[in-house]
Amino acid sequence: MIPELPLTLIASLERRLITATSIAISPFTGSAQLQDWGGEWWEYQIEMAQTRGRDGRRLAAFFAELGGPRGRFLFRDPSIAQSPGAGEPVVDGAGQSGNTLATRGWVPNAPALLAGDFLSLGSDSATRLHQVTTDATADATGRATLALVPKLRASPADAAPLEIAAPAALLRLTAAVATRIGRVESYRFSFTAREAL
């Protein structure tokens, strides 16, 4: 069972989609050659709001139990506030790959997800977070094809559910988290994490 970050208040966060690309620039002509290796993943930098007493100690214990980059955890990004389409969407067909996902189970002839909305696929150690890049409207049968980033890392099973109400990312710390303790037993935490692949 993968632990989930206990959501106390988050003061700020940065979310980045990282792509495995490199650029080589010719010293003679200045022309650039782009190498795209195809890898894509999420990285987060998170500043937790100040907590006190028992709540601060519990959060410190959560980070200590992860053991730095050894442990993985689920994070439900509180900045993802969206109005997803109605229905019970699932994956429509096995064997899918790339940056599109065929889905079904939406309310017919209604918006499914809009550009900027998020969804997650899988559970526990197979959880993957994706962002929709173009508006998608369901057809008369409740099917919609979603354009998304990052690319599908594995083909989801037919009829696998989409988590759209509270999408999660599976993250791994990039370093151990320091517990900063101030006056009156006030605790502050900040950490960086990347998608655990």
Side-chain angles (χ1 to χ4, degrees), residues 57-166:
R57 292 192 299 275
R58 286 184 192 277
L59 198 50
F62 174 84
F63 288 122
E65 183 180 21
L66 289 176
R70 267 194 326 240
R72 299 171 300 169
F73 63 98
L74 291 171
F75 176 63
R76 296 190 191 277
D77 187 335
S79 71
I80 298 175
Q82 58 195 26
S83 299
E88 295 183 13
V90 296
V91 173
D92 188 22
Q96 299 187 57
S97 62
N99 286 93
T100 59
L101 180 67
T103 61
R104 67 179 185 268
W106 302 99
V107 171
N109 300 316
L113 292 175
L114 304 177
D117 287 343
F118 286 83
L119 64 99
S120 58
L121 289 167
S123 61
D124 289 329
S125 62
T127 302
R128 296 290 176 258
L129 180 68
H130 299 278
Q131 185 172 33
V132 176
T133 57
T134 59
D135 294 350
T137 300
D139 66 13
T141 64
R143 287 180 158 78
T145 299
L146 308 177
L148 45 82
V149 292
K151 297 173 189 164
L152 295 170
R153 296 192 69 81
S155 177
D158 182 38
L162 278 63
E163 175 59 64
I164 55 175

Side-chain angles (χ1 to χ4, degrees), residues 34-56:
L34 176 70
Q35 297 289 326
D36 186 351
W37 305 104
E40 298 174 327
W41 61 89
W42 294 107
E43 287 189 357
Y44 278 88
Q45 183 170 343
I46 299 172
E47 177 79 29
M48 304 294 284
Q50 179 176 304
T51 55
R52 297 191 187 283
R54 168 91 33 218
D55 290 338

